[in-house]
Amino acid sequence: MADDISSFWGPVTSTKEWCEPNYVRSSYIAEFFNTISNVPCIILALIGLVNALRQRFEKRFSVLHMSNIILAIGSMIYHATLRQMQQQGDETPMVWEMLLYFYILYSPDWHYKSTMPTFLFLYGALFAIAHSQIRFDIGFMLHYALLCLLCVPRTYKYYIHTEDRSAKQIAKFYVATLLVGAVCWLCDRLFCKDISRWYFNPQGHALWHVLMGFNAYFANTFLMYCRAQQREWNPKIKHFLGFFPYVKIQKPKAQ
């Protein structure tokens, strides 16, 4: 919601605003809760990154965790400024991250291994160029939703071929956080006028950020487990601090 008050970043130029009054708590942060709610995503991605590096998982998973961090930082900058350029800096990494998920999901069975990363790289580069020149709104959301849907069949295949109950539970947490987060996102988007009259704003979009931080963590952990199974690394689900699941592997000595 654009408010006629002084701000460090100038007038709002982004194509979307969310159901939080602008610059209420600071002239440097347009949407305070939508900005700080990305912090859990960064912390969870760092936990995943440390595990991936410590156990020498394939580099694709380190890149995946780092992409979660970059995406969260881009979202923080966007919600802090509500500027068009910063919005593109949030949305473009969202597409890049989905292309990375697509690669991790489908590349193990891809016969022409060099063609997939080349195509995905070119696709991501062309999208970034187009997005820098054209203001997408509904088109971007439909495009992003399509990329997400393309990942569903392979993810479901991994799920039904996973026998470990703890790993399957992580997949269920992934689905649950996605569904609850989507409800929060939709309520914040569709019922903002009503919510704005409430004494207490539940900050649906900020809740979406928090839930998506956990969602990405669960997705990454499940994919790491599935990949470790493919490589015959004897994966086991352990828990950090008694709560955060992670994959413990045992590589053959030859690896």
Side-chain angles (χ1 to χ4, degrees):
M1 295 183 299
D3 301 315
D4 188 19
I5 59 176
S6 176
S7 69
F8 179 81
W9 306 107
V12 171
T13 59
S14 62
T15 60
K16 291 191 289 288
E17 292 184 74
W18 305 94
C19 198
E20 181 179 357
N22 298 342
Y23 298 106
V24 171
R25 288 168 175 80
S26 171
S27 61
Y28 297 98
I29 302 177
E31 297 176 338
F32 180 79
F33 289 106
N34 287 345
T35 300
I36 65 170
S37 57
N38 285 283
V39 173
C41 182
I42 296 174
I43 296 173
L44 290 166
L46 284 173
I47 293 173
L49 177 60
V50 169
N51 183 48
L53 292 173
R54 184 171 59 86
Q55 299 197 79
R56 294 185 293 112
F57 269 87
E58 293 165 302
K59 291 182 180 179
R60 65 188 68 181
F61 291 105
S62 298
V63 174
L64 180 60
H65 291 298
M66 287 189 289
S67 74
N68 292 148
I69 296 173
I70 293 170
L71 180 57
I73 292 173
S75 179
M76 292 180 73
I77 296 173
Y78 161 48
H79 287 288
T81 63
L82 291 181
R83 304 286 293 179
Q84 181 190 2
M85 182 180 296
Q86 284 71 22
Q87 180 183 357
Q88 293 169 345
D90 173 41
E91 292 177 346
T92 298
M94 290 173 64
V95 171
W96 288 349
E97 185 179 59
M98 290 313 304
L99 296 177
L100 182 56
Y101 276 118
F102 190 89
Y103 172 74
I104 291 173
L105 284 165
Y106 287 99
S107 64
D109 293 332
W110 195 262
H111 296 294
Y112 306 99
K113 295 187 180 297
S114 63
T115 59
M116 179 178 285
T118 301
F119 170 76
L120 294 177
F121 175 81
L122 292 175
Y123 187 94
L126 289 173
F127 174 81
I129 294 171
H131 197 32
S132 68
Q133 302 299 318
I134 304 171
R135 280 199 172 196
F136 296 113
D137 190 9
I138 300 297
F140 168 80
M141 289 188 286
L142 292 175
H143 174 242
Y144 183 74
L146 176 61
L147 292 177
C148 294
L149 289 174
L150 289 174
C151 293
V152 170
R154 189 66 173 184
T155 304
Y156 181 68
K157 181 180 178 181
Y158 280 0
Y159 176 80
I160 61 177
H161 285 90
T162 299
E163 297 181 357
D164 186 271
R165 293 180 61 184
S166 297
K168 293 177 82 77
Q169 188 67 42
I170 292 172
K172 291 176 182 177
F173 285 148
Y174 160 76
V175 174
T177 51
L178 178 62
L179 293 176
V180 176
V183 170
C184 293
W185 188 94
L186 285 171
C187 288
D188 186 86
R189 194 71 181 158
L190 299 177
F191 306 114
C192 182
K193 289 183 178 180
D194 296 323
I195 292 172
S196 299
R197 293 193 289 266
W198 294 0
Y199 176 76
F200 173 75
N201 185 338
Q203 301 297 340
H205 196 74
L207 289 173
W208 154 265
H209 286 159
V210 175
L211 288 165
M212 287 304 98
F214 280 96
N215 178 264
Y217 182 81
F218 292 139
N220 297 355
T221 303
F222 179 69
L223 291 178
M224 290 170 73
Y225 179 90
C226 294
R227 183 57 175 166
Q229 270 195 322
Q230 292 172 347
R231 299 297 302 271
E232 298 182 346
W233 289 344
N234 190 28
K236 303 290 183 184
I237 299 297
K238 303 293 183 179
H239 290 83
F240 174 64
L241 298 178
F243 177 77
F244 301 102
Y246 70 94
V247 182
K248 177 72 174 178
I249 60 175
Q250 186 176 356
K251 292 183 178 181
K253 290 185 178 179
Q255 298 185 42

